[in-house]
Amino acid sequence: KNWLPFVVGGKLHVSYSLCPHVVLRCELDGGVCRKVYETALANCNPSMRGGAPPVSMGGGIMLGVAHTTRNFTTSMKGGRLYAFYEHFLYLQSAKRPFDLLAISPAFRFAPEFGNRL
């Protein structure tokens, strides 16, 4: 869950976590994934998880989307548990070891966005 697949050089990789950035290489024959890289970006939030896989932006850079969640309850809706999502864009190198290069400030979608899907 929340793994971010990307293909480089015809090989399937997945970002298993972002902070630290742990990259696995997966073999389609047999389905075995093994850790191949681990890098760290200063001040990266360890609760950040995958959102949308990174895509090439050219120039050796990939752009991806991540998120964090916090749970909260509200008495106005009968004490139900809700999740509060914050999203981030991140830049990742398209070259080994695929380091994270930068993370945007947090942003949120309007509440109506999730209610209309």
Side-chain angles (χ1 to χ4, degrees), residues 70-91:
R70 284 183 282 151
N71 292 328
F72 66 95
T73 59
T74 174
S75 60
M76 294 178 66
K77 296 202 176 185
R80 290 184 52 200
L81 184 65
Y82 290 88
F84 176 79
Y85 285 81
E86 289 187 315
H87 304 277
F88 305 84
L89 298 176
Y90 67 90
L91 294 177

Side-chain angles (χ1 to χ4, degrees), residues 32-109:
V32 175
C33 294
R34 64 182 179 84
K35 179 177 163 182
V36 289
Y37 304 108
E38 182 172 340
T39 58
L41 179 66
N43 301 317
C44 193
N45 181 344
S47 66
M48 197 164 59
R49 299 194 308 250
V55 295
S56 176
M57 300 300 292
I61 303 291
M62 302 174 85
L63 173 69
V65 180
H67 73 276
T68 60
T69 58
R70 284 183 282 151
N71 292 328
F72 66 95
T73 59
T74 174
S75 60
M76 294 178 66
K77 296 202 176 185
R80 290 184 52 200
L81 184 65
Y82 290 88
F84 176 79
Y85 285 81
E86 289 187 315
H87 304 277
F88 305 84
L89 298 176
Y90 67 90
L91 294 177
Q92 164 184 327
S93 173
K95 297 178 180 152
R96 296 176 191 99
F98 311 113
D99 329 54
L100 292 188
L101 304 171
I103 299 171
S104 75
F107 65 92
R108 288 180 278 156
F109 291 107

